[in-house]
Amino acid sequence: MRVDLFDFDLPEECIALRPAVPRDGARLMLLHPGSRPEDRIVRDLPGLLRPGDVLVFNDTRVIPARLRGLRHRDGTTVRLEAMLHLREAPDRWRAFVRPAKRLKVGDRVSFGGAGEGETCAMTRLDATIVARGEGGETTFAFDLAGPALDEAVAALGELPLPPYIAAKRPTDAQDAADYQTVYAREPGAVAAPTAGLHFTPDLLAACDAAGLAQVRVTLHVGAGTFLPVKADDTDAHRMHAEIGEITPEAAEALNRARAAGGRIVAVGTTALRLLESAAEPDGTIRPWTGATDIFITPGYRFRAVDVLMTNFHLPRSTLFMLVSAFAGLEPMRAAYAAAIERGYRFYSYGDSSLLFRAETR
C-alpha cells in the first residue's frame, strides 16, 4: 500500500510531554466497528470489557539504553551517541549511532559520558565495532558480557525518551518513574510499551475484581519502533526485529480463556505483535521464544487478538498502519481527526484508545 495513505496533519500542541496524573485519569477513546468514537477515561476500562476477557500485558522493563562515548582511531577521537536496540549475544548489541559516517569496523569506542581527557566515576565501558548496517546501525562487541555488561549499561546509560519528547525537553528524574509500567519486570526494552503506562495498582485490582484475567508476555521493544517509514510503498519497508517470549503457562492460559469464550485484549501494539507472531492459523497461541519482525498492514488477517488498547501514533508510522489494519483505515483516519479536534494528547505520554477489531470471526 502507498505510505502516504497513512499520513495526517498533527498540530505540535497535541504531542504530550508529560503523562496524565494520575496515570489512569488519561482519556480513552472507545471505538466499536461501525460506531462513532466515544470519549471515556482509562479507569473506565473494567466496565468496557466482559468477565472472562484476558488482558495481555508486556512486562518488559526499559533500560538506560542511550550511551554517549568517544571513538578512538589513530590518535584521534570523535564524540558519538549510541542507542542500543537489539541484543545479539551476551557481549553484543546492535545500536543506532549518531554520527555514523566516520565509523569503521574495528574502531574502538569508550562509553561513559566523560569528555575527552576526563575520567568517568565508573570504569569506562569499552567496545569494538564489529559490523555496520544501513541508517547508522552498528554492532558493538563489548569488553564485558552478561550481568557485568548489564550493570555497566545501567550505570552509564541514559533513559531513552522518544525523540519527539527528547527534542523538546531534557530527561529528568521524574521520567525514571513515568516511562516505566508499574508491572515492568524483564529488563531489555529501549522504549516503553506505552499503552501500559496508564495502569495503576488500583486499576489492575479493579480489572481483577471485574473478572478480567491478566497474562504477562515479554517483548523487548527496540528503537526501531521510532524509525520513520522512508519507502513510498509498505512492501519496501523493512521492520527491525525484537526479541520476545510467551511462556508455556501464558500460552495455556490464553488458549483456555479463548476456549471458554473470552476475548484476547492486547495492552499495546507490542503485546499484539508478539501474540500474532505466536498464533497458529486457527488462533491457537503457542509458546514463543525468539525474534519477530512481523509487519502488520491493512489486509492482514488477525488470528489471536480481539481488542487492542493503544495510544495515538505518529503519521506514516508502522504503528498507525497496524491500528488501521485492526480497526480499518478510514475508521482510524476519522478517529484520529476526532481525537485532534477533541484535544486528545498523542504519543508515548499521551491518551489512549480501546479498539474492537473490525473483522468478525
Side-chain angles (χ1 to χ4, degrees):
M1 298 183 70
R2 296 199 328 268
V3 171
D4 61 7
L5 293 172
F6 304 93
D7 201 4
F8 57 90
D9 293 324
L10 182 71
E12 283 287 318
E13 59 268 23
C14 290
I15 301 174
L17 300 183
R18 296 285 183 184
V21 179
R23 292 179 183 229
D24 58 5
R27 300 175 72 183
L28 180 73
M29 178 174 280
L30 179 65
L31 186 63
H32 286 278
S35 300
R36 293 180 180 274
E38 299 178 35
D39 297 326
R40 301 295 186 95
I41 59 174
V42 169
R43 71 172 64 98
D44 293 335
L45 180 66
L48 301 176
L49 299 170
R50 301 192 300 244
D53 289 345
V54 185
L55 292 163
V56 183
F57 297 98
N58 180 6
D59 65 2
T60 188
R61 188 171 188 84
V62 182
I63 63 172
R66 179 179 283 114
L67 295 171
R68 303 181 192 275
L70 300 172
R71 182 224 69 189
H72 306 282
R73 188 200 310 147
D74 299 329
T76 63
T77 59
V78 173
R79 295 180 184 274
L80 59 84
E81 176 182 301
M83 176 69 79
L84 306 180
H85 80 89
L86 181 65
R87 192 167 197 160
E88 291 192 327
D91 66 337
R92 295 195 179 202
W93 275 90
R94 289 189 200 176
F96 296 114
V97 178
R98 299 184 306 175
K101 291 183 179 180
R102 299 171 67 182
L103 302 181
K104 296 180 180 179
V105 172
D107 281 348
R108 292 284 290 171
V109 177
S110 60
F111 293 106
E116 188 174 354
E118 300 175 1
T119 302
C120 182
M122 176 185 173
T123 303
R124 72 186 189 188
L125 175 59
D126 293 328
T128 301
I129 294 175
V130 295
R132 296 291 317 284
E134 299 178 356
E137 188 176 43
T138 302
T139 302
F140 292 99
F142 290 90
D143 290 2
L144 299 177
L149 177 56
D150 297 340
E151 291 175 8
V153 170
L156 302 176
E158 302 172 19
L159 189 74
L161 278 187
Y164 42 76
I165 296 176
K168 295 178 179 294
R169 66 167 181 83
T171 303
D172 58 29
Q174 185 60 41
D175 290 307
D178 288 345
Y179 200 59
Q180 202 81 261
T181 65
V182 297
Y183 49 80
R185 184 179 62 186
E186 301 292 340
V190 303
T194 54
L197 296 179
H198 298 291
F199 284 82
T200 64
D202 285 346
L203 180 56
L204 291 170
C207 291
D208 186 59
L212 304 176
Q214 300 177 29
V215 170
R216 305 289 195 266
V217 299
T218 305
L219 184 71
H220 294 312
V221 191
T225 189
F226 299 122
L227 292 181
V229 179
K230 297 181 178 179
D232 293 328
D233 192 278
T234 57
D235 285 346
H237 179 71
R238 179 178 67 88
M239 290 286 287
H240 283 81
E242 295 167 318
I243 302 298
E245 179 180 19
I246 299 175
T247 65
E249 295 78 12
E252 180 182 0
L254 290 167
N255 293 327
R256 186 169 60 247
R258 291 200 97 176
R263 295 174 298 186
I264 305 299
V265 183
V267 178
T269 56
T270 60
L272 180 147
R273 292 180 67 243
L274 182 59
L275 291 169
E276 292 295 324
S277 298
E280 301 286 358
D282 65 355
T284 301
I285 298 169
R286 65 185 187 276
W288 174 281
T289 301
T292 177
D293 60 359
I294 188 172
F295 182 21
I296 296 175
T297 59
Y300 176 86
R301 182 182 180 278
F302 289 87
R303 300 174 175 182
V305 177
D306 304 294
V307 185
L308 171 64
M309 181 177 174
T310 184
N311 288 11
F312 291 89
H313 304 294
L314 284 75
R316 301 173 69 97
S317 66
T318 60
L319 300 182
F320 185 61
M321 294 171 190
L322 184 155
V323 297
S324 297
F326 192 80
L329 176 56
E330 291 310 315
M332 288 312 302
R333 290 180 63 88
Y336 271 49
I340 293 169
E341 182 181 353
R342 299 175 191 179
Y344 276 72
R345 302 162 72 247
F346 274 62
Y347 302 168
S348 295
Y349 276 158
D351 297 316
S352 198
S353 64
L354 189 67
L355 309 177
F356 289 77
R357 200 179 63 201
E359 65 186 41
T360 57
R361 190 173 300 282

